[in-house]
Amino acid sequence: MNGEATLPLERFIQAVQSQLDNAQTAMAVKARNLSLPLTFAIKDISLDLRAHVEFTQSEIRIRPAAASDKEASQFHLVFTTITRPMIEENSLAFSEVPSETSIDDLKEDFSEEERKRLDEWGGVRNLDRLRDILAHPEAARAVARVSNLPLDRLRRALARASSPQVSDVVPVAPNGGGEDVPMLMRIRGRNLRQGALPTVMIAGEPVSVVRAEPAEVVIAPQSHQFAGELSVTTAPGEVATAEFDLRPFRPAPSDTGGVPS
Amino acid sequence: MTSRRELGETLADVGGGVLDALAADPGITVRNVVYALPIEFAVSGRGGEAIVLGDVPRLITRTAFDIPPTRVEFRCVAELLP
């Protein structure tokens, strides 16, 4: 990058913010070195920047005017400091549940550029937000327009990301409890529960479900159900399947834990 | 433009000038300073990151080879050091 390079407007603004932070830090360091009790903080700064503007791929890019640039546009940028309460007030709308799937996890559906547009222009940071938006036709059309992504693609991505997926099947370490406690297995993945308890089958036979959460289902298989094809059905047509083999963990015949065979 | 300073460095040098005055004469009380400067802007890069260069014009007399300066106004307010 050099003086002739263009860059997105938001990157320019971020770069200016970074320079302001550097200036504040440098002045605080200088005040300390001079043994002063106070420093000076930059509260407001305004720039009348002369620059060329380009609009490419739904992105505003600018290049500061170079020598002999007579026809450059003029940007009036004003930066001001904000207080912590202001940050918190404005961040509330963007708060995210830590376990929620980030929009960055949809790498198979959207390019980095498209995810950036969804996040920065459409305010879509996670799947919950995308679901909310697509449930409202007007909001969905607005986000599709500003992110330059067809509604069908957004809906397909949401459907794919909302479908159940199994990542692995692991045995649950025995925790005492005597012979009448059955051996358990943990199915890990995502979207494994949508409302009612899911139906779990191994090799076509149903399995008892002990506990189910979106990220994990605990089952109590019978002794002959420690290998085969597993399926988790969360709703009609919403099925995740996986092959597994945990026969080495199968309890000995005398230790079936009272589970009928 | 290779010798141009980063914008933050320029602002710190200009804004920090008051600190030198305060250190030289502790009797001075300054609460608020407003600056208005002509700054020549350019963008450079370092490690894939955009760096905003911004420095005062090197020469008083403008020529066709000089970058058109941008008017920059900023206000500094005294704050106790944490």
Side-chain angles (χ1 to χ4, degrees):
Chain A
M1 193 181 298
N2 54 45
E4 294 297 311
T6 66
L7 77 165
L9 181 59
E10 67 265 25
R11 275 190 68 197
F12 178 81
I13 291 171
Q14 285 163 2
V16 172
Q17 286 170 336
S18 169
Q19 291 297 320
L20 294 177
D21 288 342
N22 293 347
Q24 305 275 47
T25 306
M27 284 200 279
V29 168
K30 184 171 184 176
R32 279 204 181 83
N33 290 342
L34 291 169
S35 302
L36 292 172
L38 51 79
T39 181
F40 280 85
I42 299 173
K43 289 293 178 190
D44 310 290
I45 180 166
S46 68
L47 326 171
D48 282 324
L49 180 70
R50 287 166 54 79
H52 285 281
V53 186
E54 290 174 13
F55 193 75
T56 51
Q57 295 181 332
S58 310
E59 191 171 61
I60 299 173
R61 301 180 72 92
I62 64 163
R63 173 174 64 76
S68 78
D69 273 344
K70 302 291 183 201
E71 304 299 329
S73 304
Q74 186 153 322
F75 282 81
H76 184 65
L77 302 172
V78 179
F79 295 80
T80 189
T81 51
I82 56 173
T83 59
R84 180 171 290 279
M86 290 161 77
I87 294 171
E88 285 165 359
E89 187 184 1
N90 285 286
S91 301
L92 196 60
F94 296 116
S95 64
E96 291 175 34
V97 180
S99 60
E100 180 53 75
T101 305
S102 162
I103 202 74
D104 283 334
D105 292 340
L106 303 182
K107 291 186 173 70
E108 291 176 25
D109 301 282
F110 304 116
S111 68
E112 186 182 349
E113 175 60 37
E114 290 168 337
R115 293 197 306 273
K116 189 177 159 195
R117 287 208 301 267
L118 273 173
D119 180 352
E120 295 181 2
W121 295 27
V124 180
R125 298 189 171 195
N126 57 42
L127 271 191
D128 262 359
R129 184 76 181 129
L130 182 60
R131 194 173 290 116
D132 285 349
I133 287 169
L134 292 182
H136 298 89
E138 201 169 314
R141 278 194 297 273
V143 167
R145 190 172 62 247
V146 298
S147 62
N148 203 19
L149 289 166
L151 259 179
D152 280 353
R153 268 188 73 193
L154 294 173
R155 290 203 178 99
R156 274 202 305 274
L158 177 64
R160 204 189 64 76
S162 303
S163 61
Q165 288 175 26
V166 172
S167 55
D168 55 35
V169 182
V170 292
V172 176
N175 192 21
E179 290 183 356
D180 56 339
V181 176
M183 178 86 180
L184 301 178
M185 254 191 256
R186 182 174 287 135
I187 305 165
R188 295 188 296 203
R190 68 183 200 199
N191 306 315
L192 295 175
R193 180 170 189 172
Q194 298 173 15
L197 274 180
T199 303
V200 181
M201 312 274 275
I202 294 176
E205 285 185 37
V207 189
S208 302
V209 175
V210 177
R211 179 164 54 83
E213 292 169 13
E216 179 182 287
V217 174
V218 177
I219 57 172
Q222 297 180 42
S223 59
H224 66 282
Q225 293 181 312
F226 276 70
E229 187 181 85
L230 172 143
S231 70
V232 180
T233 306
T234 57
E238 296 285 350
V239 187
T241 58
E243 293 266 358
F244 76 104
D245 187 352
L246 292 176
R247 279 176 294 183
F249 295 94
R250 184 166 50 190
S254 60
D255 190 21
T256 52
V259 177
S261 56
Chain B
M1 288 300 295
T2 51
S3 62
R4 300 278 79 184
R5 288 185 296 181
E6 292 182 21
L7 176 65
E9 203 181 326
T10 304
L11 296 180
D13 281 353
V14 175
V18 182
L19 297 171
D20 291 322
L22 291 178
D25 188 346
I28 298 174
T29 303
V30 179
R31 294 195 179 87
N32 201 331
V33 189
V34 178
Y35 302 87
L37 312 168
I39 297 281
E40 293 176 351
F41 271 94
V43 176
S44 181
R46 189 171 55 215
E49 189 185 348
I51 304 290
V52 174
L53 304 177
D55 209 341
V56 291
R58 282 172 283 195
L59 301 169
I60 294 172
T61 306
R62 311 299 300 166
T63 70
F65 302 102
D66 294 316
I67 293 173
T70 287
R71 198 77 181 161
V72 175
E73 287 187 27
F74 65 103
R75 182 170 64 95
C76 289
V77 175
E79 276 186 357
L80 284 175
L81 278 168

